[in-house]
């Protein structure tokens, strides 16, 4: 904690009001909000040696955001200097470094502190947080590890026998020279469609293994002019207006995704025209044409992906990767490709977040065990049986067409009011989400999900968990979510107080004080 000496931390055992985990947009946003709420007794634990989260880890060639720059930034930290309308990874990471310094967050951050386990102490009503650098305790834990933080590799037969180079797109090996190599790209998601055109000109041969073709729309990217940047610096209201317009357009689009998927047919027609313009070969075009409703899987943006696939040094295997035999990759259709390197663009552990294995609640059970049948939470933030623990970008808080920063800021509002409620309660107290409240919230979310394009579009996406349930995306507008997380409703929680001690003559167990509506 800022202000405490190393001797105090090691001899007495450090205790803070709040522990935040992660330094991506969620963790840094939480830290800024805590300071703005007047709370300085907190630390931010980061497993790496620098801030940035997924924008630090994903440094592959061509890495960029598919949300406009002026919307993909904090409302409380506008950036007039975005160089492009859709910013690249290095500029987004630089923005997060700037936020860290502008708001004085570095004294609170503990780099190279990976959280190994968090355990709730039912007697003392505190979290015991074990890290790679020692243990500390906290009244509240805010987990902002994010869903795009732990890479997912497929279980492909023979992968251990491959003699060449293997790495995931989120763990790019910049020391490995791809020039002239025979390279296999596995996957056709958001990362892959940026990587393919970036490496195609330099590799000897590129074989793309595709299970399902994505819908790809043109990317309306351009340089932000000097005049625009000057105007945003001198008149910040112009940047605010620009952000508002970008937000408003996307709010209007939500209805098509969540209530009237049939309206997406016009967008589908535009995507087909985009494909036809770039791919003249009818056979290749057929392989790249999806057979599901646009929007069911994430809509991707690129002006260079299709042209790269049309180049003579690129082959498309449209059946997916089935097996690896030494240097030979075998597609499900029996086709073979000899390669020197394999790049996996196969996504992340989204519906089975690894951090859940490291959170132990009031019944001695991990969050992962509690979520064995699927993730569920109250308002995307708290889970029953895990008092004073909340997550940023929790279950059903993802978006299909807008900026996650909007959702993060809504969850920061909820976090701030959660802490205010604890202060109002006074003394030592904790809030535990009621099972009934969690169930009611998730039943409502899943009921709304039934008519969305993600449920009716005819695809199998990474939004779905092993049971086919969409635990990832929010089935509404960002305005609806902002309203739903503006305040903490104490009727949805049980208030916990410290357990009476044996000296009190009341037995060893604690007690719950229920709060009525």
């Amino acid at each position: 904690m800022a202000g405490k000496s190393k001797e105090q931390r090691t001899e007495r055992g450090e205790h803070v009001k709040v522990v935040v985990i992660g330094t991506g947009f969620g963790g840094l946003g939480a830290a800024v909000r805590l300071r703005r709420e007047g709370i300085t007794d907190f630390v931010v634990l980061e497993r790496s040696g620098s801030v940035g989260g997924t924008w630090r880890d994903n440094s592959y060639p061509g890495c960029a955001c598919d949300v406009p720059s002026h919307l993909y930034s904090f409302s409380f930290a506008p950036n007039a200097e975005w160089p492009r309308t859709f910013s690249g990874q290095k500029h987004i990471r630089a923005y997060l470094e700037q936020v860290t310094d502008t708001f004085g967050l570095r004294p609170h951050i503990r780099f190279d502190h990976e959280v190994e386990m968090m355990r709730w102490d039912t007697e003392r009503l505190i979290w015991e947080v074990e890290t790679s650098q020692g243990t500390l305790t906290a009244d509240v834990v805010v987990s902002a590890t994010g869903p795009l933080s732990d890479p997912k590799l497929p279980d492909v037969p023979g992968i251990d026998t491959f003699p060449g180079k293997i790495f995931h797109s989120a763990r790019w090996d910049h020391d490995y020279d791809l020039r002239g190599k025979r390279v296999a790209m596995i996957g056709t998601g958001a990362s892959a469609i940026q990587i393919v055109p970036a490496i195609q000109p330099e590799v000897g041969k590129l074989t793309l293994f595709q299970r399902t073709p994505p819908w790809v729309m043109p990317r309306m990217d351009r340089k932000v002019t000097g005049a625009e940047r000057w105007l945003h610096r001198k008149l910040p209201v112009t940047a605010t207006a620009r952000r508002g317009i970008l937000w408003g357009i996307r709010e209007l689009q939500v209805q098509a995704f969540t209530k009237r998927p049939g309206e997406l047919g016009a967008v589908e027609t535009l995507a087909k025209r985009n494909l036809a313009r770039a791919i003249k070969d009818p056979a290749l075009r057929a392989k790249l044409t999806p057979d599901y409703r646009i929007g069911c899987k994430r809509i991707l943006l690129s002006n260079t992906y299709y042209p790269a696939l049309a180049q003579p040094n690129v082959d498309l295997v449209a059946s997916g990767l089935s097996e690896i035999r030494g240097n030979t990759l075998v597609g499900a259709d029996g086709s073979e490709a000899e390669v020197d390197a394999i790049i996996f663009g196969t996504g992340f552990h989204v519906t089975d977040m690894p951090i859940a294995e490291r959170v132990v609640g009031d019944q001695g059970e991990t969050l992962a065990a509690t979520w064995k049948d699927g993730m569920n939470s109250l308002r995307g933030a708290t889970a029953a049986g895990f008092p004073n623990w909340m997550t940023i970008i929790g279950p059903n808080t993802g978006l299909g067409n807008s900026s996650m920063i909007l959702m993060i800021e809504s969850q920061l509002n909820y976090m701030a009011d959660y802490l205010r409620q604890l202060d109002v309660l006074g003394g030592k107290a904790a809030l535990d989400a009621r099972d009934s409240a969690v169930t009611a919230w998730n039943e409502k979310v899943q009921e709304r999900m039934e008519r969305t394009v993600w449920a009716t579009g005819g695809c199998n996406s990474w939004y779905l968990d092993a049971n086919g349930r969409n635990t990832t995306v929010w089935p509404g507008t960002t305005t609806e979510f902002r309203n739903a997380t503006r305040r903490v409703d104490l009727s949805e929680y049980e208030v916990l107080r410290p357990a009476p001690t044996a000296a009190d003559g009341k037995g060893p167990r604690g007690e719950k004080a229920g709060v009525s509506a």
Side-chain angles (χ1 to χ4, degrees):
M1 181 180 68
K4 286 189 179 181
S5 67
K6 181 178 180 181
E7 290 72 20
Q8 285 177 308
R9 293 199 297 264
T10 55
E11 291 179 8
R12 301 178 188 176
E14 183 180 14
H15 179 82
V16 294
K17 184 179 181 69
V18 183
V19 160
V20 178
I21 306 171
T23 61
F25 270 97
L28 294 178
V32 171
R33 188 57 183 268
L34 288 171
R35 288 186 61 89
R36 296 180 78 177
E37 292 290 320
I39 298 171
T40 57
D41 185 16
F42 71 91
V43 297
V44 184
L45 304 177
E46 168 55 56
R47 67 183 177 184
S48 184
S50 60
V51 304
T54 193
W55 294 106
R56 174 199 60 233
D57 296 341
N58 287 269
S59 60
Y60 58 79
C63 184
C65 188
D66 57 6
V67 175
S69 304
H70 289 86
L71 192 58
Y72 199 78
S73 50
F74 291 120
S75 64
F76 53 79
N79 180 21
E81 303 300 330
W82 289 119
R84 302 194 66 85
T85 53
F86 289 85
S87 290
Q89 176 262 345
K90 69 175 183 178
H91 297 112
I92 298 173
R93 186 177 180 186
Y95 170 76
L96 290 172
E97 293 278 2
Q98 177 184 326
V99 168
T100 302
D101 292 329
T102 299
F103 291 92
L105 304 182
R106 292 196 188 276
H108 297 276
I109 300 175
R110 305 279 175 81
F111 291 114
D112 301 311
H113 277 62
E114 181 169 7
V115 173
E116 298 175 342
M117 191 64 68
M118 292 171 270
R119 293 184 176 86
W120 176 250
D121 187 323
T122 58
E123 303 296 326
R124 296 188 292 165
L125 298 187
I126 59 173
W127 282 97
E128 185 177 273
V129 183
E130 299 175 14
T131 80
S132 56
Q133 302 287 341
T135 301
L136 69 161
T137 58
D139 296 327
V140 176
V141 170
V142 178
S143 178
T145 57
L148 306 182
S149 57
D150 292 283
K152 189 174 187 178
L153 290 175
D155 186 15
V156 181
I159 190 172
D160 295 334
T161 68
F162 183 69
K165 187 69 178 179
I166 292 179
F167 52 88
H168 191 278
S169 59
R171 300 292 183 268
W172 195 270
D173 189 340
H174 291 278
D175 293 327
Y176 185 75
D177 190 356
L178 291 173
R179 286 177 296 181
K181 299 291 197 310
R182 300 169 300 175
V183 179
M185 180 78 226
I186 315 301
T188 53
S191 298
I193 74 156
Q194 294 179 344
I195 294 169
V196 166
I199 68 173
Q200 174 270 319
E202 64 181 61
V203 303
K205 186 72 174 181
L206 178 60
T207 304
L208 175 64
F209 284 82
Q210 166 192 279
R211 285 192 306 175
T212 308
W215 284 107
V216 181
M217 293 288 288
R219 181 184 179 88
M220 303 302 183
D221 186 30
R222 63 171 177 81
K223 288 184 178 180
V224 178
T225 67
E228 289 174 284
R229 294 197 298 272
W230 178 88
L231 186 63
H232 293 335
R233 281 196 305 271
K234 298 299 182 182
L235 292 173
V237 67
T238 60
T240 302
R242 184 175 189 162
R243 178 186 177 90
I245 292 170
L246 292 168
W247 165 79
I249 292 171
R250 282 155 181 78
E251 287 290 272
L252 293 174
Q253 295 171 342
V254 170
Q255 299 290 339
F257 287 85
T258 60
K259 294 181 179 180
R260 296 185 290 274
E263 293 181 358
L264 291 166
V267 182
E268 206 166 281
T269 299
L270 293 175
K272 287 180 179 179
R273 289 176 182 171
N274 183 47
L275 172 59
R277 278 194 299 268
I279 304 296
K280 303 305 181 183
D281 179 2
L284 179 58
R285 191 162 63 242
K287 292 179 181 179
L288 293 171
T289 302
D291 61 358
Y292 55 88
R293 172 64 76 191
I294 193 169
C296 183
K297 294 168 74 76
R298 184 174 174 182
I299 300 174
L300 306 182
L301 305 179
S302 177
N303 299 325
T304 55
Y305 176 64
Y306 287 148
L309 295 185
Q311 298 306 307
N313 68 331
V314 178
D315 281 339
L316 175 69
V317 178
S319 62
L321 177 61
S322 175
E323 184 184 357
I324 299 175
R325 302 173 189 160
N327 278 102
T328 303
L329 273 60
V330 183
D333 60 357
S335 60
E336 298 183 355
E338 295 282 334
V339 302
D340 305 305
I342 304 174
I343 303 169
F344 284 98
T346 47
F348 301 85
H349 289 276
V350 175
T351 60
D352 57 341
M353 293 187 290
I355 192 68
E357 296 278 2
R358 307 181 186 190
V359 187
V360 180
D362 63 2
Q363 299 301 311
E365 189 174 64
T366 66
L367 184 60
T370 301
W371 283 352
K372 64 182 182 298
D373 296 324
M375 299 190 301
N376 59 80
S377 65
L378 177 58
R379 303 181 187 273
T382 57
F386 297 83
N388 282 12
W389 184 92
M390 61 174 48
T391 182
I392 306 296
I393 314 184
N396 290 116
T397 60
L399 295 175
N401 76 315
S402 192
S403 173
M404 279 305 302
I405 312 306
L406 301 170
M407 302 296 278
I408 288 172
E409 290 196 26
S410 292
Q411 292 198 288
L412 298 183
N413 290 340
Y414 197 76
M415 177 198 74
D417 197 54
Y418 191 103
L419 293 168
R420 290 189 209 110
Q421 296 296 339
L422 288 176
D423 287 342
V424 169
L425 288 168
K428 191 70 174 176
L431 295 176
D432 187 14
R434 295 179 184 272
D435 278 315
S436 58
V438 174
T439 299
W441 172 260
N442 283 277
E443 285 180 349
K444 183 178 179 181
V445 168
Q446 292 304 319
E447 180 182 351
R448 294 183 63 179
M449 196 70 70
E450 291 177 1
R451 57 181 175 177
T452 67
V453 68
W454 308 301
T456 64
C459 74
N460 182 23
S461 73
W462 58 265
Y463 299 148
L464 310 180
D465 64 17
N467 299 313
R469 183 165 164 263
N470 191 328
T471 58
T472 306
V473 184
W474 168 245
T477 65
T478 62
T479 301
E480 289 175 299
F481 190 77
R482 178 66 59 98
N483 291 334
T485 53
R486 195 174 298 279
R487 296 282 185 271
V488 169
D489 181 354
L490 280 182
S491 70
E492 296 181 328
Y493 289 88
E494 289 183 287
V495 178
L496 310 184
R497 294 292 185 180
T501 64
D504 297 327
K506 296 181 180 179
R509 297 299 299 169
E511 55 187 21
K512 292 185 178 182
V515 176
S516 59

